[in-house]
């Protein structure tokens, strides 16, 4: 049966996600007089619900080819979409003024076990016809409405209602923008997956850090706005939170006023530090993106008390992160302290009840990431048109702990650290990688006792840490994020009776530094890794 066009508008509908489709199709057909053209499963879905559709096969003269890989890719479908209305040479038998298409769910399919087990599995989730239809309709937005997301349906029907069955040019242009954004995000997801697969297939042997962290030649980020923020770092700056391929954050706010830009910055800094530790409960207190107290504990309450005691003054107005559930005792300890945010994997009901009495305190629940989660890309703007990119710092402290167990991490001094000192050295090393450079961390018994942050000289950072630690520097350990460039750092540590030092090593003064450590009976461990944080 051949297709005889009628004098009315037409809509082409072919969707994977059929959410909200029936009311949209029914309104187009019954309220606004559109003829509906459809394919395969979409046509069957609508006809089962009493919505009349024209099979695209009656227009093109061709059924599905290649097991459905070729259905709508035909001039008799694309010409009515792309034709410039009223232009000589662009006459068609009919026109398609609405295109309703959404794509195969490649993004979610790539997360399934099948995608991991079968490298060819995802090929069937790469949409060709749908992607082409979306782009064609968006290109001809002066005449065509393109709907590529069920979330657009209600707004489109409202537009038709206000326009007496017609949409405005600005509205169609906005739909076209969203279509090209969707197309870009879709292609980006596919290219990223191919990048991952080819990178895995050509992975370099371990030990070559530069090869292991090779970065792609091109990066496309699908950033979607999660929410607008009141302002940025300062009230005169506008700001928003974006998700990479998502419109929802990976945390839940249980209580408190709206999160600010600075809250989110400090919250992430605190969370990243807390997630360094998996074997023991830890509390990290952050102020202006730097730790002011970090401690291990028997539980969250013990860890908080120990971390807070490091620097109660700086903890005022801080952000507190835990890697363990917050219990009632922890909540009671925090209740009378002014804090901006508390973030943890869980809050016991009684703890929530206690903390919710503080109207403005933001309580955030966030699941701990998998221990083997891949390190994300770290991007920093470089002027108006460039970015610096690096693979984010991984759990190098764990690598060092592994080397210790294997016996390949050794002291470079004559004196060997005790087991207790080595545990503190590894604790301090995990913390120092989260402190702005130049950075010095003094620690004892799984607790920071002194922090030297963001100084232009290493000895300056050490002097600040020693002043904060005061008498607690005795028998403490010291972590330095960079090598010790001169003997003055060891001399100052020795005068304060610091027991052991962990540092990258590699200074031209290493021989003198080690000699002074030996003379001062200080154990010194070299990691071979620098941990600058700018």
């Amino acid at each position: 049966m051949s297709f005889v066009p009628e004098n009315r508008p037409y809509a082409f509908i072919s969707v994977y996600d059929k959410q909200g489709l029936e009311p949209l199709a029914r309104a187009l057909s019954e309220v606004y007089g559109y003829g509906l053209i459809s394919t395969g499963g979409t046509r069957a879905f609508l006809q089962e619900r009493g919505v009349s559709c024209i099979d695209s096969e009656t227009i093109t003269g061709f059924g599905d080819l290649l097991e459905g890989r070729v259905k709508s890719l035909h001039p008799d479908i694309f010409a009515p979409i792309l034709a410039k209305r009223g232009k000589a040479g662009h006459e068609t038998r009919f026109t398609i003024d609405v295109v309703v298409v959404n794509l195969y769910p490649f993004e979610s399919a790539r997360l399934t076990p099948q995608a991991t087990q079968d490298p060819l599995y995802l090929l069937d989730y790469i949409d060709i016809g749908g992607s082409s239809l979306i782009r064609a309709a968006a290109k001809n937005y002066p005449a065509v409405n393109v709907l590529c997301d069920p979330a657009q349906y209600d707004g489109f029907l409202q537009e038709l209602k206000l326009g007496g069955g017609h949409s405005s040019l600005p509205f169609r242009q906005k739909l076209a923008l969203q279509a090209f954004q969707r197309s870009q995000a879709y292609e980006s997801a596919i290219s990223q997956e191919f990048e991952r697969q080819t990178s895995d297939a050509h992975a370099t042997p371990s030990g070559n850090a530069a090869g292991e962290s090779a970065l792609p030649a091109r990066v496309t980020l699908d950033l979607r706005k999660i929410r607008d923020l009141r302002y940025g770092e300062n009230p005169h700056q506008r700001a928003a939170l974006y998700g990479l391929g998502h419109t929802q954050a990976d945390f839940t706010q249980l209580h408190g006023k709206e999160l600010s830009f600075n809250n989110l910055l400090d919250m992430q800094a605190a969370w990243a530090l807390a997630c360094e530790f998996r074997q023991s409960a830890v509390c990290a207190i952050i102020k202006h993106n730097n730790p002011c107290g970090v401690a291990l504990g028997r539980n969250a309450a013990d860890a908080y008390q120990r971390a807070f005691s490091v620097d109660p003054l700086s903890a005022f107005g801080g952000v507190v992160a835990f890697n363990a559930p917050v219990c009632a005792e922890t909540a009671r300890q925090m209740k009378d302290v002014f804090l901006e945010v508390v973030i943890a994997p869980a809050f016991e009901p009684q703890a929530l009840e206690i903390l919710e009495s503080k109207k403005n305190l933001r309580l955030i629940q966030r699941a701990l990431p998998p221990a083997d989660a891949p390190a994300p890309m770290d991007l920093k703007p470089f002027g108006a048109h460039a970015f610096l990119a690096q693979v984010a710092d991984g759990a190098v402290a764990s690598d060092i702990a592994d080397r210790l167990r294997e016996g390949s991490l050794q002291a470079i001094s004559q004196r060997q650290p005790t087991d207790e000192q080595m545990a503190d050295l590894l604790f301090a090393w995990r913390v120092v990688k989260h402190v702005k450079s130049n950075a010095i961390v003094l620690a004892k018994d799984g607790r920071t006792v002194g922090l030297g942050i963001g100084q232009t000289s290493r000895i300056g950072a050490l002097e600040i840490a020693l002043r904060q630690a005061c008498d607690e520097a005795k028998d403490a350990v010291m972590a330095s994020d960079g090598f010790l460039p001169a003997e003055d750092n060891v001399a100052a540590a020795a005068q304060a009776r610091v027991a052991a030092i962990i540092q990258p090593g590699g200074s031209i003064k290493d021989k003198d530094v080690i000699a002074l450590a030996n003379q001062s009976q200080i154990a010194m461990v070299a990691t071979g890794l620098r941990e600058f944080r700018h």
Side-chain angles (χ1 to χ4, degrees):
M1 175 176 156
S2 61
F3 170 66
V4 179
E6 300 177 49
N7 184 25
R8 60 172 174 165
Y10 285 89
F12 184 91
I13 304 177
S14 180
V15 297
Y16 185 94
D17 181 356
K18 297 173 178 60
Q19 178 183 355
L21 184 61
E22 181 184 350
L24 171 69
R26 195 174 296 281
L28 286 172
S29 175
E30 299 174 6
V31 179
Y32 299 109
Y34 276 80
L36 306 184
I37 303 167
S38 192
T39 62
T42 302
R43 181 174 60 85
F45 174 87
L46 291 175
Q47 288 186 332
E48 286 171 4
R49 287 155 179 78
V51 181
S52 178
C53 292
I54 301 163
D55 189 344
S56 62
E57 182 178 343
T58 65
I59 298 174
T60 64
F62 288 92
D64 293 353
L65 301 177
L66 306 179
E67 298 179 312
R69 283 194 171 195
V70 181
K71 288 183 287 191
S72 56
L73 292 167
H74 194 281
D76 286 345
I77 298 296
F78 277 82
I81 295 172
L82 285 165
K84 292 183 178 180
R85 309 312 194 239
K87 182 174 182 178
H90 279 240
E91 298 87 356
T92 55
R93 290 192 298 157
F94 66 101
T95 59
I96 294 175
D97 299 332
V98 176
V99 172
V100 184
V101 172
N102 54 60
L103 306 177
Y104 297 155
F106 182 90
E107 293 96 331
S108 58
R110 67 190 289 206
L111 303 177
T112 61
Q114 297 96 313
T116 304
Q117 296 159 7
D118 179 3
L120 302 182
Y121 173 77
L122 287 174
L123 295 182
D124 288 333
Y125 286 89
I126 298 177
D127 208 318
I128 303 300
S131 188
S132 300
L133 286 161
I134 285 173
R135 291 171 58 81
K139 176 177 179 176
N140 203 22
Y141 77 84
V144 181
N145 300 274
V146 54
L147 303 173
C148 59
D149 188 329
Q152 298 170 319
Y153 297 169
D154 288 344
F156 174 61
L157 291 178
Q158 183 66 19
E159 176 77 4
L160 292 186
K161 182 178 180 180
L162 293 173
H166 300 280
S167 62
S168 65
L169 180 62
F171 183 82
R172 293 194 297 276
Q173 186 176 28
K174 182 178 179 181
L175 291 178
L177 166 64
Q178 293 169 347
F180 282 121
Q181 288 174 332
R182 175 66 186 118
S183 179
Q184 180 186 36
Y186 193 72
E187 302 301 329
S188 174
I190 295 169
S191 65
Q192 287 171 9
E193 179 60 24
F194 275 45
E195 177 78 39
R196 185 196 66 77
Q197 290 184 8
T198 55
S199 296
D200 288 349
H202 300 92
T204 58
S206 61
N208 183 348
E212 288 172 355
S213 61
L215 297 168
R218 183 186 296 250
V219 176
T220 303
L221 299 178
D222 174 22
L223 298 180
R224 307 183 192 183
K225 186 183 286 186
I226 294 174
R227 69 181 71 156
D228 287 307
L229 303 173
R230 286 182 298 162
Y231 51 78
E233 279 187 285
N234 300 291
H236 63 277
Q237 294 172 272
R238 298 176 65 181
L241 174 64
Y242 286 82
L244 183 59
H246 299 278
T247 55
Q248 290 186 328
D250 67 346
F251 60 85
T252 301
Q253 182 167 353
L254 304 177
H255 175 73
K257 65 181 181 180
E258 180 184 357
L259 286 161
S260 72
F261 185 94
N262 290 336
N263 291 154
L264 288 164
L265 280 179
D266 286 344
M267 190 176 89
Q268 180 57 33
W271 184 246
L273 179 45
C275 290
E276 286 278 350
F277 300 90
R278 298 301 178 109
Q279 304 305 316
S280 303
V282 72
C283 174
I285 305 175
I286 296 289
K287 190 74 170 288
H288 294 299
N289 230 227
N290 275 300
C292 56
V294 185
L296 303 176
R298 298 183 305 277
N299 50 39
D302 183 43
Y304 171 76
Q305 187 277 325
R306 302 181 79 229
F308 181 77
S309 66
V310 174
D311 189 354
L313 182 62
S314 295
F316 180 86
V319 170
V320 182
F322 297 93
N323 68 349
V326 174
C327 62
E329 177 57 30
T330 320
R332 279 190 285 270
Q333 291 183 29
M334 293 188 289
K335 183 178 182 297
D336 295 326
V337 180
F338 170 56
L339 300 170
E340 291 282 0
V341 182
V342 178
I343 178 171
F347 292 80
E348 294 180 2
Q350 192 177 357
L352 272 180
E353 184 179 343
I354 293 168
L355 293 175
E356 284 175 347
S357 66
K358 298 170 71 70
K359 182 177 68 172
N360 293 328
L361 176 61
R362 303 159 180 91
L363 303 178
I364 306 297
Q365 184 169 302
R366 194 177 194 183
L368 290 168
D372 59 350
M377 185 178 292
D378 182 12
L379 293 173
K380 299 182 187 297
F382 183 75
H385 304 292
F387 285 86
L388 293 168
Q390 64 180 350
V391 175
D393 203 356
V396 295
S398 297
D399 298 335
I400 291 170
D402 290 341
R403 285 163 52 196
L404 173 65
R405 285 190 289 271
E406 294 164 0
S408 59
L409 181 67
Q410 299 289 339
I412 55 175
S413 58
Q414 293 172 356
R415 183 169 184 164
Q416 298 291 314
T418 65
D419 290 345
E420 292 78 10
Q421 288 168 348
M422 184 58 82
D424 276 341
L425 287 169
L426 294 176
F427 167 79
W429 187 253
R430 277 189 167 94
V431 175
V432 81
K433 65 182 282 194
H434 294 269
V435 180
K436 295 293 193 298
S437 302
N438 285 317
I440 295 289
V441 170
L442 299 176
K444 186 192 297 183
D445 299 328
R447 170 179 171 268
T448 60
V449 296
L451 294 149
I453 296 170
Q455 298 304 300
T456 53
S457 70
R458 192 152 303 282
I459 187 63
L462 176 54
E463 287 170 348
I464 291 171
L466 289 171
R467 281 200 302 272
Q468 184 186 25
C470 197
D471 293 341
E472 289 192 276
K474 180 176 181 282
D475 296 327
V477 304
M478 166 183 149
S480 172
D481 66 338
F483 62 61
L484 302 181
E487 299 155 274
D488 54 355
N489 294 274
V490 179
Q495 186 174 1
R497 301 177 69 181
V498 169
I501 296 173
I502 188 168
Q503 53 115 349
S507 166
I508 60 172
K509 288 279 195 175
D510 269 0
K511 184 177 179 181
D512 298 331
V513 167
I514 296 168
L516 184 54
N518 289 334
Q519 181 183 330
S520 306
Q521 292 294 297
I522 293 176
M524 182 175 288
V525 174
T527 65
L529 291 169
R530 191 181 71 187
E531 283 293 353
F532 280 172
R533 189 175 185 84
H534 285 77

